[in-house]
Amino acid sequence: MLINIKKTMTLLSTLLLGIMCSFCSDTIDVYAGQYGEEEGTNEPETPEVVGKIMHIDPLRNPDRGFHLECNLLADEVKSPYNEYEVYGEDLYTKKIEQFDAKGDDLTLVQQYIYLTKWVSKDLDDEALNNIRKVFELMKAQGYKAILRFAYNHAGLNTSGGESKQWILRHIEQLTPLLNEYIGQIATVQVGFIGAWGEWHTSPLVNDQDAKNAIVSALLRALPVPYCVEMRYPNHKKALTLEQEEYRGRIGYANDYFTAGEHSHAPGNDFVPNTDDYKQITEEVKANNFYMSGEIPYDEDTEWGLSALITPMKSLRILREHRYSAFDVTQNFALNIMSWKQVKVYPSLLNDNNILFDESYFKDAEGNDVVRSFYEFVRDHLGYRLNLQGESKVEAKDGNLEYDLTITNTGFATVINPKEVYLVLVSGDGQVVKEIKLDVEPKNWIPSTNEEPNKAAEYSIKGSTAAGLSGTYKVGIWMPEKVDDLKYNPVYAIKFALTEKLTHWYDAAGKYAVNIFGEVTF
């Protein structure tokens, strides 16, 4: 966010967005690459007529995908901008409806919490209890937060009055809550300093010692390997950290994603072919930290974006920088809505070295189909895990033997801690065996540098004593590592569906399992 006006969406604009949605058609012929000009060319990409867009159901998976945006004052637990944005059971539901995302199974919200009332004093029970209420609401409704704390919600030409002393004190006070609710946190944006926590318009803007201390304190507050996000590469380069080994946990929040096509993109967006862009490309390959972005609001101002950005160029950036999350609330009526009409198909992706699984472009009968750009981005932010057809399990001499091949066709990987199990399910629908596998899903990178358009394959082989007799279904279970969410199926990772792999949920509401085989001991 760069200007205050973008924070002031009114109820009237909400109604207008709803009217616009009612005119949307899934048969309009718009193509990825039709808008704008590509790097080094004078003509837009040539579209290929490939048929009607066919919709595909999303996989509801944690820590990844499109996200909402929500702003709350910690004292009043309501937005400083919108009267309808007030803490309650329908807080996020209203956002889902407002931004036409009912069918998208979103799991993320960029949650701003403004500590304005406590800018120069301790957080008291009122502040901490209200923050706890927000975490509890997210847990009850299956969300995780891209979390940002700040003081100045008034915007430019103001001062929030923040200081190093009190920011560090507040991080100290927040640390127990952050650890208690770490399962509700996808990432924490460094925030705190300046207008909307964006590190400008602040009494600390030139205080590098304060910035070093604040980032170091926030990295200490979060358990390894959880990530924080900063706004700019030069902010990260300037840091002197108390624990240098934590630098790889610092990702980026691109609050001005324009595919480099806005006049103000240089220095604000991560523009392709610039030093900043190249720095992030190399950093994310080495560390696989959290990346997220948002498009500026569609408004007739110096900083607004009132034009369509090139979809295919945007897609290449999302993949090269391994984005896990992207906002759907900003620029909704223009670019986000246009993405729902843009066609994506295999030959276009192959031409642009965009990784995908062939089955994504098949319908239930195996026919070739096209998807929308919106859905492709929604389904490939972060990770998209696939179990390959050659994978097998069998019972042999009382042991369960397994030989699995997994690919990841998402933009990024599984950033936050997850465990991987094989489970055996009895005929009456009970999980009777959990077999923990010694694998790290964060290592399941989509592709290699040498073959960027080919999915890297990850093999899991082994044999373990079953200690059972009878016939059982076999599946992969990938729950949250944190204890309070381990047996919450909403937060378990679902693989892409195939003829061989289905999703199974137990009646007790503890498991979401990717069933792919059957064995008899």
Side-chain angles (χ1 to χ4, degrees), residues 74-231:
D75 52 334
E76 300 178 53
V77 205
K78 68 178 185 180
S79 170
Y81 313 111
N82 305 309
E83 291 183 0
Y84 60 87
E85 195 169 331
V86 180
Y87 172 83
E89 292 297 313
D90 61 353
L91 176 64
Y92 302 131
T93 304
K94 287 180 179 178
K95 290 282 185 177
I96 289 287
E97 294 173 351
Q98 180 181 353
F99 296 102
D100 191 33
K102 285 184 179 180
D104 292 325
D105 272 341
L106 303 190
T107 67
L108 292 171
V109 56
Q110 184 184 22
Q111 183 63 68
Y112 288 74
I113 297 179
Y114 286 101
L115 307 174
T116 313
K117 179 178 176 180
W118 295 272
V119 67
S120 58
K121 59 184 178 180
D122 271 348
L123 300 176
D124 56 19
D125 287 344
E126 178 190 13
L128 296 173
N129 289 339
N130 283 342
I131 295 169
R132 180 182 294 276
K133 284 167 56 177
V134 176
F135 280 130
E136 286 291 339
L137 180 64
M138 286 190 289
K139 180 187 288 188
Q141 299 189 355
Y143 288 97
K144 290 198 178 197
I146 298 172
L147 187 63
R148 186 187 297 188
F149 293 99
Y151 305 94
N152 178 3
H153 55 78
L156 303 177
N157 303 315
T158 63
S159 172
E162 63 271 14
S163 65
K164 173 185 174 182
Q165 171 194 353
W166 285 108
I167 293 174
L168 292 177
R169 173 58 178 159
H170 290 164
I171 292 174
E172 178 186 6
Q173 290 186 279
L174 290 167
T175 295
L177 268 181
L178 296 178
N179 281 266
E180 180 182 352
Y181 289 100
I182 193 62
Q184 306 311 132
I185 297 173
T187 188
V188 178
Q189 298 177 334
V190 173
F192 291 102
I193 298 174
W196 313 296
E198 290 190 352
W199 282 40
H200 58 77
T201 321
S202 168
L204 299 179
V205 70
N206 295 315
D207 190 338
Q208 189 59 47
D209 287 341
K211 294 174 181 178
N212 294 340
I214 290 164
V215 176
S216 293
L218 198 53
L219 285 166
R220 283 198 313 274
L222 296 176
V224 177
Y226 286 89
C227 299
V228 304
E229 288 186 322
M230 297 186 70
R231 180 64 184 91

Side-chain angles (χ1 to χ4, degrees), residues 190 199 208 211-213 215-216 218-220 224-230 232-252 279-280 282-284 286-290 442:
V190 173
W199 282 40
Q208 189 59 47
K211 294 174 181 178
N212 294 340
V215 176
S216 293
L218 198 53
L219 285 166
R220 283 198 313 274
V224 177
Y226 286 89
C227 299
V228 304
E229 288 186 322
M230 297 186 70
Y232 296 109
N234 64 317
H235 288 166
K236 182 175 176 179
K237 283 194 291 188
L239 288 173
T240 299
L241 296 175
E242 293 174 9
Q243 293 174 280
E244 181 58 31
E245 66 271 22
Y246 286 172
R247 188 175 292 270
R249 294 167 55 203
I250 303 174
Y252 296 100
Q279 176 186 330
I280 295 172
E282 294 308 311
E283 283 187 22
V284 76
N287 297 292
N288 282 294
F289 43 61
Y290 208 91
K442 189 169 184 175

